[in-house]
Amino acid sequence: MATNHIFFDNASTTSTDKEVLKKMEPFFKDEFGNAASLHSFGQRASAAVDESREKIAKFLNCNFEEVVFTSGATEADNLAVLGIIFANGYPHKKLHIITTAIEHLAVLETCQYLEKKDVEVSYVKPHKNGVVKFEDIEKEIKDNTVLISVMYVNNEIGTIQPIEKIGRLVLEKNKDREKRIYFHTDAVQAALWCEMDVKKLGVDLLSLSGHKIYGPKGIGALFVKQGTIIKPIQHGGHQEFGLRPGTLNTPLIVGMATAIGLIKKWDLLKVEKLRNYMLQKVQSKFDGVSLNGSLGKRVKNNLNLSIKGVEGEALLLGLDMEGIAVSTGSACSSGSLEPSHVLVSIGLSHEAAHGSLRITLGKDNNKEEVMHFLKILELLVKKYRKMAPKI
Ligand code: PLP
């Protein structure tokens, strides 16, 4: 990649891998059949969908019928949360959900929506290191708890949550409960880096997204363990075992499954080395830099830094002028700068949250790009610190 187009924002999305594009192409062209049609066009599309579902099932160590395709992880998260609530006594019973304060909005806002509809929700806070303690989840369990939804890897600070431990806890609790608890994890940011065997994790529901793993945008999947009592949240055809109506998007399904099949072939160890090199250089070059969230319990491509005396947004724009794409922990919404709910929940002041920069490396980045970034960052930090009013 040319140094004037450096993409360090791989948590927001990834490029589509060449092999993925190649595998999708025929399904945009001659093989355009509807997978539900009985003729041979349909049969060929259906065979491609089956093969893709099989690949994803193998990746998750689950059954073929336990993989439900959706339009992305936002829909998968909505289906998991709303689908469980609607199928397990709502609105006649007062139900309770446990989630965390650092979830992606796809889960967080779905829970907030349900709260307005009389569902109880507990938002467990992470510790300062950005990791939620399973004991804190356990403390919140009540007789009417029907769902625990905890993300696997946080999309801003990259911290890995103790999913296996929570899975074991739920299994234990369910032994002597009349009404069982379901366990969902949003594994969007984990798929490239973490254990994805749903049996080992002990989850009932798990969300995936195509575009975070070098696959296409607009496709995702929800693992739904056999026997889970869940309702569809859309109504229409009977595709996806009756859980998600709509004509199957064959090219995107093929693309997502191809990306999943390639994960083991990519040199992701290189990404970790580059990330560590970058961190070490940043820490030695600048004073007043802190890493947000644990380094040890973090995916290998993520750095989330607060740089004292500098606005994250200004750095982002300055870097962008130099062709370098990163992200920041503050989102400009309705004219005011809202600090990230994740950074605030791990105890950062609004000032530190505004000074944050998220750098997420990808499989195609190289050392030359990292060195160029460090050079530009140094210039920008010096410039902005000089400009800042002295108090
Ligand atoms: N969950 C997490 C943790 C994410 O990072 C994202 C994407 O930003 C989503 C859900 C939503 O995924 P999609 O873009 O596939 O709807």
Side-chain angles (χ1 to χ4, degrees):
M1 204 177 270
T3 45
N4 61 344
H5 292 290
I6 299 177
F7 193 73
F8 285 160
D9 195 19
N10 287 274
S12 74
T13 195
T14 54
S15 60
T16 311
D17 187 81
K18 280 198 197 84
E19 182 74 16
V20 170
L21 275 175
K22 205 167 101 192
K23 283 277 167 36
M24 288 197 296
E25 201 181 350
F27 299 96
F28 282 119
K29 292 181 171 169
D30 300 339
E31 298 296 348
F32 56 82
N34 182 331
S37 303
L38 289 179
H39 48 63
S40 11
F41 278 89
Q43 282 174 27
R44 287 195 297 273
S46 170
V49 169
D50 283 357
E51 199 186 309
S52 302
R53 200 187 302 278
E54 199 64 66
K55 267 191 202 159
I56 297 173
K58 199 170 153 209
F59 176 66
L60 298 175
N61 189 24
C62 68
N63 299 331
F64 181 88
E65 311 78 42
E66 293 177 320
V67 177
V68 174
F69 290 112
T70 63
S71 64
T74 299
E75 189 191 328
D77 286 346
N78 272 264
L79 176 56
V81 176
L82 299 175
I84 288 293
I85 293 299
F86 293 160
N88 288 276
Y90 178 87
H92 313 293
K93 289 188 191 143
K94 177 104 179 158
L95 301 175
H96 175 232
I97 301 175
I98 303 171
T99 189
T100 79
I102 56 169
E103 295 299 306
H104 187 272
L105 295 183
V107 167
L108 213 52
E109 296 223 346
T110 307
C111 288
Q112 284 161 3
Y113 162 80
L114 285 171
E115 250 185 315
K116 287 187 198 128
K117 306 232 167 257
D118 229 20
V119 173
E120 265 182 274
V121 185
S122 304
Y123 300 93
V124 175
K125 274 195 166 189
H127 283 235
K128 259 185 107 137
N129 65 357
V131 180
V132 170
K133 283 213 166 144
F134 89 98
E135 293 91 338
D136 292 343
I137 301 276
E138 184 173 17
K139 275 185 219 151
E140 296 296 329
I141 296 179
K142 303 200 278 191
D143 287 347
N144 62 338
T145 306
V146 66
L147 177 70
I148 297 179
S149 181
V150 177
M151 71 191 331
Y152 200 161
V153 168
N154 181 266
N155 47 300
E156 292 188 36
I157 52 179
T159 47
I160 304 169
Q161 308 305 318
I163 299 303
E164 278 192 59
K165 275 191 183 170
I166 303 170
R168 282 198 295 273
L169 167 75
V170 172
L171 190 75
E172 206 46 49
K173 294 280 171 192
N174 276 337
K175 278 185 185 158
D176 45 40
R177 279 175 72 92
E178 202 185 308
K179 197 88 182 117
R180 61 160 303 174
I181 303 169
Y182 289 104
F183 180 29
H184 166 245
T185 188
D186 173 337
V188 166
Q189 300 285 347
L192 293 173
W193 313 101
C194 302
E195 174 66 62
M196 291 299 288
D197 180 329
V198 290
K199 294 195 175 75
K200 280 193 190 150
L201 296 175
V203 294
D204 300 299
L205 302 132
L206 177 147
S207 309
L208 288 175
S209 174
H211 73 104
K212 310 284 183 173
I213 54 170
Y214 305 98
K217 292 167 186 57
I219 184 74
L222 181 67
F223 156 72
V224 183
K225 193 175 165 184
Q226 231 156 18
T228 299
I229 300 173
I230 184 166
K231 273 190 179 165
I233 55 170
Q234 288 152 296
H235 304 279
H238 300 132
Q239 291 93 343
E240 297 304 274
F241 319 106
L243 250 191
R244 202 279 184 171
T247 302
L248 290 176
N249 197 331
T250 312
L252 301 196
I253 289 171
V254 167
M256 179 170 168
T258 304
I260 281 178
L262 288 169
I263 292 176
K264 280 205 179 114
K265 294 195 184 152
W266 294 323
D267 183 5
L268 298 177
L269 212 79
K270 177 191 86 175
V271 179
E272 182 183 13
K273 284 189 191 147
L274 281 180
R275 192 275 311 263
N276 291 348
Y277 174 78
M278 186 188 272
L279 177 63
Q280 182 225 324
K281 289 286 172 199
V282 167
Q283 284 176 329
S284 62
K285 265 176 195 276
F286 311 107
D287 49 3
V289 174
S290 50
L291 179 69
N292 299 317
S294 156
L295 178 61
K297 290 180 180 159
R298 182 188 207 97
V299 282
K300 296 173 177 18
N301 72 327
N302 175 297
L303 279 185
N304 190 307
L305 305 166
S306 279
I307 306 179
K308 216 173 170 180
V310 191
E311 280 276 344
E313 191 115 317
L315 272 183
L316 182 151
L317 296 174
L319 286 163
D320 189 47
M321 299 263 280
E322 299 292 328
I324 303 168
V326 296
S327 167
T328 176
S330 52
C332 194
S333 64
S334 56
S336 71
L337 281 174
E338 282 293 328
S340 129
H341 68 285
V342 175
L343 297 179
V344 169
S345 81
I346 60 167
L348 259 70
S349 65
H350 282 208
E351 188 200 353
H354 280 311
S356 80
L357 209 60
R358 180 186 72 179
I359 302 141
T360 45
L361 303 179
K363 70 178 175 70
D364 298 320
N365 290 130
N366 57 45
K367 193 157 178 185
E368 194 191 345
E369 292 176 329
V370 171
M371 282 162 56
H372 184 65
F373 162 79
L374 289 166
K375 194 174 89 189
I376 302 293
L377 185 69
E378 193 173 9
L379 290 173
L380 290 174
V381 170
K382 276 189 187 147
K383 179 173 140 190
Y384 294 143
R385 278 186 176 160
K386 233 185 241 166
M387 282 160 57
K390 301 272 176 293
I391 305 166

